[in-house]
């Protein structure tokens, strides 16, 4: 039996319209390629592969000079892309710092790692980068610029810039009381923790 001649409609194989599929997938492929270029050029927050666990950080008060904030991407050991908001501060002090992470293990259950510091003398950090997914508190800024192109930031630490055309903000200084944040990673040039205390315990014990 003679086969019907091909038509101008999309070729259908296994109920997938391949031309339409290619058209829909092209933007995703282009985005992945752009992210790959950005990662190789250092434009994204990928100085190391992050763990599969986020951690919580709180502080009674944070003061900092040279503030910048912009969107970026972290990667884990499996190469998965994790969107974050990078908060970068040239010089920061944190009063009554708390950091916690909870690991759930088979049979054993929840195991909590808690770190505290800065109750008397504040924790001091330089060139601080926090890759966060959540941040809250009462904040005040001086000379803030909201909506600046992320690739043109110049008030934060060296290298505190995002991809061109992306939203960002920066300020001369920042003051936050009642700081609470959830993050994938923290980088710092120097990180001095006075009165450091670390404790591992069973159960779920978090900073907030």
């Amino acid at each position: 039996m003679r086969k019907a001649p091909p038509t101008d409609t999309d070729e259908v194989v296994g109920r997938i319209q391949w031309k339409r599929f290619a058209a829909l997938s092209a933007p995703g492929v282009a985005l992945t390629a752009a992210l790959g270029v950005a990662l190789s050029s250092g434009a994204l927050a990928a100085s190391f592969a992050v763990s599969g666990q986020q951690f919580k950080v709180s502080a009674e008060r944070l003061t900092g000079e040279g503030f910048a904030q912009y969107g970026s991407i972290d990667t884990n050991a499996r190469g998965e892309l994790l969107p974050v908001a990078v908060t970068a501060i040239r010089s920061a002090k944190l009063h009554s710092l708390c950091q916690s992470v909870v690991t759930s293990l088979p049979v054993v259950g929840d195991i909590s790692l808690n770190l505290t510091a800065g109750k008397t003398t504040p924790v001091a950090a330089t060139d601080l980068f926090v890759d966060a997914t959540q941040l809250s508190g009462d904040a005040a800024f001086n000379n803030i610029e909201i909506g600046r192109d992320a690739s043109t930031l110049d008030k934060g630490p060296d290298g505190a810039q995002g991809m061109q055309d992306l939203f960002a903000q920066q300020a001369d200084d920042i003051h936050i009381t009642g700081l609470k944040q959830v993050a994938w990673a923290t980088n710092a040039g120097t990180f001095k923790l006075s009165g450091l205390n670390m404790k591992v315990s069973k159960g779920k014990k978090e900073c907030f």
Side-chain angles (χ1 to χ4, degrees):
M1 180 179 294
R2 182 177 299 177
K3 295 182 179 179
T7 66
D8 293 334
T9 58
D10 291 343
E11 179 184 358
V12 179
V13 179
R15 304 189 68 83
I16 297 177
Q17 293 181 316
W18 291 107
K19 292 181 181 179
R20 186 174 301 170
F21 173 80
L24 292 174
S25 64
V29 173
L31 176 59
T32 301
L35 289 173
V37 172
L39 284 166
S40 64
S41 65
L44 301 185
S47 59
F48 57 85
V50 302
S51 75
Q53 296 175 280
Q54 296 189 72
F55 57 92
K56 292 185 176 181
V57 176
S58 67
E60 288 184 0
R61 185 169 73 257
L62 178 150
T63 59
E65 297 182 357
F67 163 82
Q69 190 174 64
Y70 52 94
S72 190
I73 301 290
D74 279 344
T75 58
N76 59 24
R78 292 183 297 277
E80 295 172 335
L81 303 178
L82 308 169
V84 295
V86 178
T87 297
I89 305 174
R90 278 192 291 105
S91 176
K93 292 184 178 180
L94 300 98
H95 299 258
S96 296
L97 172 70
C98 174
Q99 177 179 305
S100 65
V101 61
V102 178
T103 301
S104 295
L105 299 175
V107 181
V108 179
D110 292 335
I111 300 294
S112 296
L113 170 63
N114 291 78
L115 180 152
T116 58
K119 290 186 176 181
T120 303
T121 302
V123 171
T126 61
D127 296 336
L128 177 66
F129 291 79
V130 180
D131 301 351
T133 57
Q134 179 183 327
L135 185 151
S136 64
D138 297 320
F141 307 86
N142 280 323
N143 296 323
I144 190 168
E145 300 171 358
I146 301 174
R148 181 162 177 153
D149 188 296
S151 67
T152 68
L153 295 171
D154 58 9
K155 291 188 176 183
D158 290 341
Q161 293 181 335
M163 296 177 67
Q164 186 174 347
D165 296 329
L166 292 189
F167 174 92
Q169 56 186 354
Q170 65 176 7
D172 288 345
D173 55 59
I174 179 174
H175 304 267
I176 301 179
T177 56
L179 170 68
K180 296 179 180 179
Q181 64 182 6
V182 180
W184 283 112
T186 296
N187 292 341
T190 62
F191 204 54
K192 299 180 180 179
L193 297 94
S194 61
L196 172 64
N197 182 39
M198 187 182 71
K199 184 177 181 180
V200 177
S201 57
K202 291 190 64 176
K204 194 172 184 177
K205 301 175 183 178
E206 299 180 285
C207 296
F208 59 89

